[in-house]
Amino acid sequence: MKKNTEKKEKNPLIGKDNFLESGVLGVVLLEVRRVKDNGLFPVKIRLTYQRKQIYLSGGYDFTREEWEKMQNAKNGSPLHKKKTAISTTLKTIQDTINGIAQKGEYSHEKLLKMLKKGRTDSLSVAIANIIEELKADGQVGSASVYSNMSKSILKHAKKELTLADITPKWLIEYEKAVNNDLSYTTIGIYLRTLRAVFNRAIADGIISEATYPFSRSERDGKYRIPTGTGTKIALTVEQMAAVANYVAPTKSMERSRDLFLLSFHLGGINFKDLLLLKWSDIKNGEITFIREKTKHTNQQKEKTINIPINEPAQALITKLTGTSNGGYILPFMAVDATPTDILRITQNITRNTNKHLNTIGKSLGVDGLSTYVSRHSFATIMKNSGVSVAFISETLGHNDIKTTQAYLKSFESGQRKKNFDVLNDILKK
């Protein structure tokens, strides 16, 4: 029998940086069998499963002396920071292996597939992967939100972050730091988007639930996303009539007013959905459509909304309709519009409409008049007229009636004030 003359590895490990997860042995070592051109040795993460081994990059190169010193490096030192980064990478790989094993049998091939797009513990990579998928699915608007969120976080951090860097403390500091530049509504949008990145990472087995920094209950002590404090208004019947009777000084302002009114009469339809309506969506005197916002979600993918076309809506459609344009009811979308074109056109029309509505609102003594107000006004006027919340919920396209109740609640203070104003007349008698 041939004697095994292979020398045993003398590579020291980084402290306790090794693991046994779902039958996979992971070890961090300095690969001294191969010296690089720069005279350094690469750090490798060796994974062994059913006697099969693969080596992953640890992201750093060291001399033997640096490797030895790193084992007892002091907190805050450059070597300690590298040691921490390697440990984080190892933990991410362990969490990924655990995630794979929970969904089925582990294999090195599955792990490599999970890791092929880059370091999965990198926040920027995790966000970039989602943006890539959203764009491929035509969700340019959502991709833009992820991109803006990423830019805001990078501007605050001033360095690349891992998912493990985002802790409850970090989120609190971020919120305070950007408070002067962003509204709480925008901060809330960015942080809910960031939360979605973490939910995705947990579902993919990239990180563990223990590293999740956002609160799931009132008592878990984790970070709670702030609620926007922007003023929400809903017009009364009288105010809506004043808008309808407003004499616009220009054709473009008149068109903005008419778009606002059409949105209101079509159940508070979102402007993007309004601009994408086609003649084929009209059946038996109703407009039937699926909200663009919910088309790509599992919960509401098949949910359709049916809106009867009343007389004011029909008159506005007749007035606003231009020449035939690829089947669209309103003459704004190009026939061959790409998702990027749709986003740009929608933003331009919405921006111009809001500019005109602001002017109209000031003339009528209504602050904050915007495209969103048509939806708010529809919901509250219907409720105050005695229409059931269930019907309002169905018309708005909400998946849960609780969402509608919370939506309506945000406008109730104005109605309460109006009800109590009745007392003013009593005291005057």
Side-chain angles (χ1 to χ4, degrees):
M1 183 174 180
K2 186 177 180 180
K3 185 176 180 181
N4 187 354
T5 59
E6 183 181 23
K7 293 182 179 180
K8 293 184 179 179
E9 290 180 336
K10 296 181 180 180
N11 303 337
L13 306 184
I14 300 181
K16 297 181 180 179
D17 269 1
N18 52 76
F19 65 80
L20 181 61
E21 177 67 57
S22 303
V24 182
L25 175 63
V27 178
V28 177
L29 51 85
L30 188 66
E31 180 56 273
V32 296
R33 296 174 296 184
R34 184 173 68 88
V35 62
K36 301 180 72 171
D37 293 339
N38 57 9
L40 304 179
F41 300 102
V43 175
K44 293 291 183 178
I45 299 172
R46 185 181 64 196
L47 302 175
T48 306
Y49 179 67
Q50 295 181 348
R51 298 184 179 181
K52 294 181 180 180
Q53 293 183 343
I54 60 171
Y55 288 81
L56 303 178
S57 172
Y60 293 95
D61 301 324
F62 297 102
T63 63
R64 290 176 182 268
E65 292 73 19
E66 288 173 333
W67 177 258
E68 293 287 353
K69 289 180 180 180
M70 188 171 60
Q71 314 313 311
N72 299 309
K74 295 182 179 180
N75 288 346
S77 68
L79 284 176
H80 185 271
K81 290 180 180 179
K82 291 180 180 180
K83 177 181 178 181
T84 301
I86 295 171
S87 298
T88 300
T89 299
L90 189 67
K91 181 63 168 62
T92 299
I93 292 173
Q94 181 180 1
D95 290 340
T96 306
I97 292 171
N98 180 47
I100 294 172
Q102 288 182 353
K103 296 179 181 179
E105 185 177 353
Y106 169 84
S107 70
H108 288 329
E109 290 74 17
K110 290 180 180 179
L111 176 65
L112 292 174
K113 185 178 180 180
M114 292 283 290
L115 302 178
K116 70 177 181 179
K117 291 186 177 181
R119 291 182 59 198
T120 54
D121 64 332
S122 166
L123 178 62
S124 60
V125 170
I127 296 173
N129 289 340
I130 294 176
I131 290 175
E132 181 182 339
E133 292 178 10
L134 289 170
K135 287 183 176 179
D137 203 25
Q139 300 183 65
V140 180
S142 296
S144 178
V145 174
Y146 276 87
S147 178
N148 291 335
M149 175 270 291
S150 182
K151 291 176 183 176
S152 176
I153 288 177
L154 185 59
K155 181 180 178 181
H156 168 65
K158 299 179 181 178
K159 65 175 184 178
E160 289 293 330
L161 298 172
T162 65
L163 290 165
D165 289 327
I166 308 299
T167 63
K169 181 181 178 181
W170 189 95
L171 290 168
I172 291 173
E173 292 174 350
Y174 169 78
E175 178 188 330
K176 291 180 179 178
V178 301
N179 188 31
N180 292 330
D181 299 324
L182 303 174
S183 68
Y184 261 102
T185 298
T186 301
I187 294 173
I189 291 173
Y190 285 175
L191 291 175
R192 284 192 295 274
T193 304
L194 180 60
R195 182 177 62 188
V197 174
F198 273 84
N199 287 332
R200 170 72 172 274
I202 291 174
D204 289 343
I206 295 173
I207 60 173
S208 65
E209 178 68 29
T211 61
Y212 189 69
F214 296 94
S215 176
R216 293 196 189 276
S217 67
E218 295 183 359
R219 298 181 180 180
D220 61 12
K222 294 189 176 183
Y223 178 77
R224 298 184 69 82
I225 297 176
T227 303
T229 56
T231 302
K232 295 181 179 180
I233 66 170
L235 304 188
T236 63
V237 173
E238 294 77 14
Q239 288 173 322
M240 283 300 304
V243 173
N245 294 323
Y246 176 80
V247 179
T250 65
K251 286 293 183 182
S252 59
M253 189 174 290
E254 181 179 343
R255 185 190 70 176
S256 294
R257 180 206 62 187
D258 290 345
L259 286 172
F260 173 83
L261 292 171
L262 181 58
S263 170
F264 169 78
H265 284 291
L266 293 182
I269 187 174
N270 176 277
F271 255 51
K272 182 178 182 180
D273 293 322
L274 177 64
L275 297 177
L276 290 174
L277 288 178
K278 293 188 174 183
W279 292 110
S280 58
D281 295 325
I282 300 179
K283 299 179 181 67
N284 300 320
E286 290 187 334
I287 286 181
T288 302
F289 68 98
I290 299 174
R291 293 185 69 193
E292 288 294 316
K293 182 178 180 179
T294 60
K295 274 185 178 179
H296 301 279
T297 62
N298 292 329
Q299 291 180 326
Q300 292 183 303
K301 192 170 183 179
E302 302 301 325
K303 189 176 182 67
T304 58
I305 300 173
N306 301 292
I307 306 294
I309 302 177
N310 60 18
E311 291 184 9
Q314 184 59 63
L316 287 164
I317 289 173
T318 301
K319 181 179 180 181
L320 289 166
T321 299
T323 57
S324 179
N325 191 28
Y328 292 110
I329 294 176
L330 299 178
F332 302 110
M333 288 295 167
V335 177
D336 55 351
T338 65
T340 301
D341 294 332
I342 292 173
L343 176 63
R344 174 179 52 79
I345 293 169
T346 300
Q347 288 179 337
N348 288 340
I349 295 296
T350 303
R351 187 183 303 111
N352 290 333
T353 303
N354 280 331
K355 179 181 177 180
H356 291 147
L357 289 176
N358 183 57
T359 300
I360 294 172
K362 288 180 178 179
S363 299
L364 300 176
V366 178
D367 291 329
L369 189 61
S370 70
T371 55
Y372 288 112
V373 176
S374 66
R375 187 170 178 83
H376 302 166
S377 302
F378 166 79
T380 52
I381 288 175
M382 293 290 275
K383 181 185 178 184
N384 295 335
S385 299
V387 176
S388 71
V389 175
F391 179 82
I392 298 172
S393 180
E394 180 181 343
T395 304
L396 293 176
H398 290 163
N399 194 47
D400 190 337
I401 196 170
K402 292 181 180 179
T403 303
T404 311
Q405 291 170 335
Y407 184 82
L408 291 167
K409 188 176 181 180
S410 61
F411 310 114
E412 288 179 351
S413 61
Q415 184 62 30
R416 287 195 297 270
K417 183 179 182 302
K418 180 181 178 182
N419 292 340
F420 269 76
D421 283 344
V422 175
L423 300 179
N424 295 333
D425 296 329
I426 295 176
L427 296 175
K428 292 176 182 178
K429 292 182 180 179

